[in-house]
Amino acid sequence: KEVKHLIHEIYAYITIQTKRRQENLNTDPMVLHMIFKGNPGTGKTTVARIIGNIFSEMGVLTRGHLIEAERADLVGEYIGNTAQKTRDQLKKAYGGILFIDEAYSLARGGEKDFGKEAIDVLVKFMEDNRDNIIIILAGYLAEMEHFLQSNPGLRSRFPIHIEFPDYNKQELLQIADQMCAKRQ
């Protein structure tokens, strides 16, 4: 319920900004990059796909597709390889959403780790292409908080934070009923 409520608020915000722009009124810049925090299986990837579809229908994104990535898709093994791998993923996601699962793993290495380079490339791309890509960083609650503290500029560049609570027993039974109904 909390996640649905936040998505409705984001939808309303975009709708208002769009109408203000149509009426030549001042608008706020729409920075829609997000942090999804929660345990596996709580719907983070599913919600990211839904957001892509909604934002495409609203004209916020041109395509609305979802590209899923993890550390291995972004971080190279030698100098210069990380920037290229990260840019390749960003280009694939352009017009849609780049969903980076277990994003905290980018900051886990030491000073010589290439994960920090991937973060720098992401931040630069976000600044230069803010109108047609949304980056969603996802992972466990505590690890994502630690990750955000590892780079002081990250928190401000990802203004939308959504916590995905674990399903309760009733919700799990509803999901099971829906799955059984689909499979007859």
Side-chain angles (χ1 to χ4, degrees), residues 3-32:
V3 173
K4 286 180 183 178
H5 178 74
L6 278 169
I7 300 304
H8 285 290
E9 284 185 6
I10 295 166
Y11 181 88
Y13 170 75
I14 293 169
T15 302
I16 290 168
Q17 293 301 313
T18 302
K19 288 183 185 207
R20 288 183 64 83
R21 191 174 309 111
Q22 290 168 351
E23 296 296 324
N24 293 319
L25 297 169
N26 290 338
T27 58
D28 293 330
M30 285 197 289
V31 181
L32 300 171

Side-chain angles (χ1 to χ4, degrees), residues 175-184:
I175 291 168
D177 286 344
Q178 289 174 353
M179 290 172 76
C180 289
K182 283 182 185 176
R183 295 181 183 174
Q184 301 174 347

